[in-house]
Amino acid sequence: MRLTVIGTGYLGAVHAACMAELGHDVLGVDVDPRKINALAEGRPPFYEPGLPELLTRTLHRGRLRFTTSLREAAEFGDVHFVCVGTPQQPGSDAADLRQVEAVVHGLAPHLHRRCLIVGKSTVPVGTCDRLAAEVPALLPEDGDAELAWNPEFLREGLAVQDTLRPDRLVIGVRSTRAHDTLAEVYATPRAAGVPFISTDPATAELAKAAANSFLATKISFINAMSEVCDASGADVVTLADILGHDPRIGRRFLAAGLGFGGGCLPKDIRAFTARAAELGAEPAVEFLRQIDTINTRQRRRTVEAARELVGGSFTARRLAVLGATFKPDSDDVRDSPALAVAGALHREGAEVCVHDPRGTENARAVHPALLYTTDATAACRDADLVLHLTEWRDYRELRPSVLAEVVRTPRLLDARNALDAGLWRSAGWTVRALGRPAPAVVPSALPLQPALAVAASGAVAGAVADGQSSASSGRPCSAPTVSGLLSGVPE
């Protein structure tokens, strides 16, 4: 089929390339000529594993091209996917729908033949029906367009996989024609056994809001438990393991730490709450405000834990921050908990040096006053405290014994509960993690029995041998500079 994808940010660029990979002829549309030119050359303006190769392959096959013209899109496409952003309104929790409205209102007057407009942007429930009522008055006399909604469930870092092999496909339609058209669009994943759920537009819109709200609730629940664990001396990781064995709960996303961020989850639960209030159902989702509060409080808890570890004041303290993006395998720093903590530490008097495998330039554009380096070991040089804030694989492969030789004081705050605390402690580090007690200290007057002592020393040696890998060579942090623009931000 001939498809257009309007809006080539994170969602749109991935969707366009994946639809071309599935065998459709695809025209990507955006108002930003720089973005269009970069994509036409196979260069996505953001980091997503597998996307550059997919772009190059589909461009070479002639299945994918790009334009800035809505008129050209209208002439080309049988199905038009709307993939523009719906950010949070300034001064409000509600979603800003101006980009979605601009696309529909700008496209409709050029639609001179039968086609289907399909929203993929995350919108408040009721948006599709409202826009569908507006479209007939915008169409030319020979136009025949219908609206449907097809929410996305992408995970940054896994977006290509989630589009080509999703765990479910949801469409919100009002006619058999719309259903059959989208069934044809997704014929390949349907044939592979992907569940294809056809419902009304309101339910499809609500599916994304409900999924994000449930995920946020699960994350904030275990983070709330980590506060209780800190107060009681319990271990939140062991607690999560125990809960995870219950098949009604499951272990996934019960990872206590710094909390969620990014350009979707925080603003989506706020927009959901705002829309529920408009519908008179605010009491039903009031708990989401507490979920948001718990999530934000994790950032302050991390700052306070860092303050305690350095003796109560950040003045004249040098801190190393490992991670700036809101999650690994992404260069997205929007509402990043890691970068928020780094900025707070700096504002409270610390000298902060940040390392991130992919997000340095985007982070620098947001917080130019911080120091940045491309080498994790260099970030740790002369540090009074190392903070692990984004769980990149790179940081699990660091050698604590090597870093202990370059820091001023071997102290680690693992705000993601993702590093091997025993390995770091065996290399001489003081380790603190949210929701986890410090290891029990055996009094010198009560030594271990010889057999137990041998077993314990062997276990530590084995952990060190199993956990170490080569470390990168260091270079000093660069002075803070402002360079680059925050580009390629997803919806």
Side-chain angles (χ1 to χ4, degrees):
M1 298 184 71
R2 290 157 64 97
L3 315 179
T4 75
V5 176
I6 304 171
T8 58
Y10 187 88
L11 167 61
V14 172
H15 192 66
C18 288
M19 291 302 99
E21 179 73 1
L22 293 178
H24 301 294
D25 293 317
V26 182
L27 179 64
V29 188
D30 204 284
V31 296
D32 185 347
R34 292 176 301 176
K35 188 186 299 183
I36 288 298
N37 291 337
L39 288 167
E41 295 172 357
R43 296 183 292 106
F46 53 86
Y47 175 71
E48 176 61 32
L51 182 58
E53 298 83 357
L54 193 62
L55 274 174
T56 299
R57 185 162 62 248
T58 53
L59 287 165
H60 179 73
R61 291 173 179 169
R63 290 287 189 185
L64 177 63
R65 61 187 181 89
F66 295 92
T67 183
T68 58
S69 171
L70 277 178
R71 182 188 297 273
E72 183 181 356
E75 295 171 353
F76 175 86
D78 303 306
V79 180
H80 305 280
F81 286 100
V82 180
C83 298
V84 294
T86 53
Q88 191 172 326
Q89 291 182 20
S92 169
D93 286 343
D96 185 343
L97 300 179
R98 287 178 295 179
Q99 293 182 57
V100 172
E101 294 164 348
V103 169
V104 173
H105 293 173
L107 179 67
H110 303 298
L111 298 174
H112 291 280
R113 59 192 176 88
R114 174 175 285 193
C115 66
L116 182 64
I117 302 172
V118 183
K120 289 196 70 69
S121 304
T122 302
V123 296
V125 60
T127 299
C128 181
D129 285 344
R130 176 175 64 82
L131 291 174
E134 297 172 2
V135 165
L138 301 171
L139 292 171
E141 290 186 4
D142 56 348
D144 182 6
E146 183 179 353
L147 256 72
W149 223 261
N150 170 214
E152 55 85 14
F153 299 98
L154 302 188
R155 297 167 294 172
E156 291 196 31
L158 296 167
V160 172
Q161 169 187 314
D162 288 345
T163 304
L164 294 175
R165 296 176 296 279
D167 49 24
R168 79 281 207 197
L169 286 162
V170 178
I171 62 169
V173 297
R174 292 292 187 193
S175 72
T176 301
R177 185 185 87 181
H179 172 278
D180 292 347
T181 298
L182 286 170
E184 183 179 350
V185 169
Y186 293 117
T188 299
R190 285 176 55 242
V194 173
F196 185 71
I197 304 166
S198 181
T199 183
D200 58 89
T203 303
E205 292 165 333
L206 193 57
K208 178 61 185 290
N212 277 356
S213 296
F214 187 87
L215 176 58
T217 299
K218 195 169 185 180
I219 294 170
S220 280
F221 171 81
I222 199 63
N223 282 335
M225 292 302 99
S226 78
E227 290 193 58
V228 178
C229 287
D230 274 339
S232 63
D235 188 325
V236 72
V237 173
T238 302
L239 177 63
D241 288 339
I242 295 168
L243 295 174
H245 284 292
D246 188 329
R248 298 169 300 174
I249 299 172
R251 185 61 171 85
R252 295 191 66 196
F253 297 103
L254 286 180
L258 189 47
F260 56 82
C264 295
L265 203 54
K267 64 97 174 172
D268 285 351
I269 65 170
R270 294 165 193 157
F272 185 28
T273 304
R275 180 55 176 156
E278 293 173 355
L279 295 170
E282 184 173 16
V285 296
E286 184 63 33
F287 73 96
L288 290 176
R289 298 193 188 279
Q290 187 62 22
I291 295 303
D292 198 9
T293 298
I294 292 169
N295 185 62
T296 303
R297 191 162 65 237
Q298 291 299 98
R299 305 176 187 191
R300 175 47 52 183
R301 288 183 65 211
T302 300
V303 171
E304 293 308 315
R307 190 195 313 278
E308 180 181 338
L309 281 169
V310 297
S313 173
F314 292 121
T315 303
R317 298 294 190 179
R318 180 178 173 87
L319 308 182
V321 166
L322 301 181
T325 55
F326 87 95
K327 66 177 293 186
D329 298 317
S330 171
D331 63 358
D332 191 351
V333 300
R334 291 175 303 157
D335 199 9
S336 166
L339 198 54
V341 167
L345 296 171
H346 173 75
R347 288 192 299 273
E348 297 193 25
E351 180 184 85
V352 180
C353 187
V354 179
H355 172 268
D356 190 276
R358 292 285 180 175
T360 299
E361 291 307 312
N362 288 345
R364 181 182 281 123
V366 177
H367 281 289
L370 303 179
L371 301 173
Y372 295 91
T373 179
T374 58
D375 181 74
T377 302
C380 296
R381 194 172 305 282
D382 299 324
D384 297 288
L385 174 66
V386 175
L387 295 94
H388 175 237
L389 303 185
T390 307
E391 60 273 35
W392 286 91
R393 178 186 298 273
D394 306 53
Y395 302 141
R396 295 196 296 274
E397 295 175 350
L398 292 172
R399 295 178 64 187
S401 59
V402 172
L403 290 186
E405 296 177 358
V406 302
V407 298
R408 183 176 295 143
T409 310
R411 288 182 288 220
L412 170 71
L413 175 55
D414 182 8
R416 292 295 184 179
N417 275 310
L419 301 179
D420 184 340
L423 178 65
W424 286 74
R425 288 184 177 120
S426 70
W429 289 75
T430 298
V431 179
R432 168 76 190 277
L434 299 182
R436 307 202 73 181
V441 178
V442 180
S444 57
L446 297 171
L448 288 173
Q449 294 296 325
L452 293 178
V454 170
S457 64
V460 169
V464 173
D466 291 341
Q468 291 184 348
S469 62
S470 61
S472 54
S473 60
R475 71 172 182 83
C477 276
S478 59
T481 59
V482 182
S483 67
L485 296 174
L486 186 61
S487 62
V489 294
E491 180 211 343

